[in-house]
Amino acid sequence: MGERQVYTVTFLPAGRTCRVQAGTELLKAARKAGLHVNASCGGAGVCGKCQVIIEKGSVRGGKSEKIPAAFSAQGYRQACRAQVCEDVVVRIPEASGQRQGGLGTALPQRNHARQHVFDMDELKQEGGWSPSVEKVCIELAPPAGHDNRADAGRLLQGLAAQYNRRCELKSLAFLQKLGKALRQEDFQATATLEVPVNLAARYRLLDIQPGYQCHRNFGLAFDIGTTTIYGVLIDLETGRFLAEASCYNPQMSYGEDVISRIICAEKPDGLDLMQRLVNEAMNQLITEMLDKASPSERIGQQPVTRDEINSVSIAGNTTMTHLLLRLDPSSIRRSPYVPTTTFFPSFRAREVGLNLSDTCASLVYPAISSYVGGDIVAGVMASGMYSSEQLTLFIDVGTNAEIVIGNRDWLACAACSAGPAFEGGGITHGIRAVEGAISDFSLNPETLEPMNVTEGDKAPIGICGSGLLIIVATLFEHGILNQSGKFHPLGHPRIREGKSGHEYVLAWKDECAAAHDIVINEVDIENFIRAKGAIFAGITTVLQQVGLQVSDLEQIILAGGFGSYIDLDSAMTVGLLPEVDPEMILYLGNGSLTGSWMCELSNHIRRDVVEVVRKMTSFELSEVPGFKDQYMASMFLPHTDLSLFPGAAVRNNV
């Protein structure tokens, strides 16, 4: 019999058990069991407050200079350093997180949105995929004395006869290689065609290759985000993803928000600079994806080359799209907020600086308005709400929160500036979700001692968006914050007067990897309330404009990186999301990238996009009279109208 790899950990006095892999730290096991253990250092082994007692069995490690020898002999260990190596019974003493009376302090089980499951088969048409660029192999009768048609005419007529493809030829480069390509394999050749969005239009001839080359057809999909650029390399014949890559958008050096980038673009040579930066990043990702694309059995061991990439689909917000295409974005930031265009023609990838073949076609998702861009349109396509009977609320949570409400019959949208709080901006010790970022939190209600959970289980260095949400909700639930986001004077050392009002100390300086105490203060909380208030006010305002209420919604879909980490109970406690059945809420992920690769694989998605954009009504919230009132009402925890949040009102005794 081999050594057991999964063991049972029993925690006393709560009597809770959990099964964990060998080598799991007891602190992680306690979290899995839903138990609070004081750990303000995030499990970095610094604070020494996570001491537990091993009552039966043994563990590896866990001894520390913070545990006196006499206590160590009694079985005391630091939970963050003690690893499970057999079945073990562990007691959590009162000082480490127990309530008086013996029952363990429960760590809430986080309630995240269910993943939106996308059925790839829904994209397939009869016979397989229908990519935006297709390759067909054609066999033509060679010229003879009785048949001396020109090569171009012979090809066009053959495509019409054999594939019912009415094509147009507008490229001199195509003609220059046509004769040689046809004769190299005795008039067997592979034609690359750009499929028209309009079924009545003609296919466009992009390339011609000798012999059979249909199995070598590849595409790229990109999401050009304000913060991050994502890309994926796709085999258009099988729908298989060959490689993915991402990088920070280098334009961030000139401002983290779109307004800063527009201001930069307005300066001499600024627009060229903004385009060049995003081009360089995309070309870097293309190189990375080509390098790491694993050859499949179907395409043999021959690596994918740049010349075999025949199409690129791109989604991004309106400003990012303008900067990529070198379109003047200046009017986007000035009332009445008008972009240069919301629809973009198909173009060659090289026209925007992408290092791909001359024949590679590129398509950019259309936008709705200056602040509801192609990334949101792509997300709507990815969510499927545009073809569903269910009344759906779609939210992309970020610096600019976009909201779409509707179903297959109608769609309405709006954008609201939530600010950077959910990405760590505007928060004293706010950071992105990097190692050491506090991403989860619980509180002993009697001692007010925290249990900080950090990314990578490293010593805390700051607070990321998901942690900020849970911290505010937890402090409010335990009566430490009032509805205005102000601290109650409780006379506790962790609640003190600071430079920005009262603050709660999450981790002392000697417990963290920062050169200072990590705190959350009343200004941070005010910035958070503004962000959550803008989003909820946007939701309720759009609902009012279409004559509906929250109770009419049948489904909520969250998109964006932050959406996957939102604890739904916390989001409803503070009034970020409507108080609904959590089963109604789904998480899409990166809807912009998903919509982009869907466009690559399915031409009917490209056709549907046109109809979706045309039927979507956009509201400029600053021009809607009721928005300001809704926003002011949302500037409390959870809201001034507690009838909208009956569950939160009962839990928090407000």
Side-chain angles (χ1 to χ4, degrees), residues 43 280 484 499 512 523 541 560:
E280 290 173 353
S484 298
K499 294 180 180 179
C512 59
V523 172
T541 300

Side-chain angles (χ1 to χ4, degrees), residues 7-50:
Y7 301 107
T8 299
V9 183
T10 303
F11 289 97
L12 301 176
R16 294 192 186 182
T17 64
C18 67
R19 301 271 290 169
V20 297
Q21 294 287 330
T24 301
E25 291 85 2
L26 287 178
L27 183 61
K28 290 183 180 178
R31 292 171 184 164
K32 184 175 181 180
L35 291 171
H36 174 102
V37 177
N38 293 338
S40 53
C41 72
V46 178
C47 70
K49 295 178 180 178
C50 61

Side-chain angles (χ1 to χ4, degrees), residues 324-397:
L324 170 67
L325 303 182
R326 202 182 172 281
L327 303 177
D328 180 11
S330 57
S331 60
I332 290 176
R333 76 179 182 100
R334 295 182 176 89
S335 180
Y337 315 110
V338 178
T340 298
T341 182
T342 54
F343 276 92
F344 308 95
S346 174
F347 53 87
R348 296 292 165 264
R350 281 205 172 183
E351 292 182 62
V352 293
L354 297 185
N355 187 15
L356 296 169
S357 74
D358 291 327
T359 61
C360 180
S362 187
L363 183 77
V364 174
Y365 258 96
I368 303 298
S369 64
S370 287
Y371 294 102
V372 180
D375 53 344
I376 302 307
V377 177
V380 168
M381 304 307 295
S383 72
M385 66 179 290
Y386 72 97
S387 61
S388 172
E389 292 184 356
Q390 287 185 296
L391 182 60
T392 300
L393 166 63
F394 175 94
I395 315 172
D396 192 304
V397 182

Side-chain angles (χ1 to χ4, degrees), residues 307-322:
D307 288 343
E308 293 176 308
I309 296 174
N310 294 308
S311 64
V312 181
S313 292
I314 301 169
N317 67 46
T318 308
T319 298
M320 292 301 100
T321 301
H322 275 56

Side-chain angles (χ1 to χ4, degrees), residues 223-242:
D223 163 39
I224 311 298
T226 308
T227 301
T228 310
I229 301 174
Y230 297 91
V232 59
L233 174 64
I234 310 166
D235 185 332
L236 298 180
E237 296 302 310
T238 66
R240 180 171 173 260
F241 289 7
L242 302 179

Side-chain angles (χ1 to χ4, degrees), residues 38 40 49 443-450 475 480 487-497 502-506 508:
N38 293 338
S40 53
K49 295 178 180 178
L443 190 73
N444 184 311
E446 296 180 0
T447 66
L448 302 191
E449 282 297 310
L475 294 176
I480 298 169
F487 285 96
H488 288 296
L490 299 177
H492 191 281
R494 283 195 180 269
I495 301 172
R496 68 190 187 191
E497 182 71 32
H502 283 85
E503 60 190 23
Y504 174 85
V505 181
L506 292 158
W508 303 107

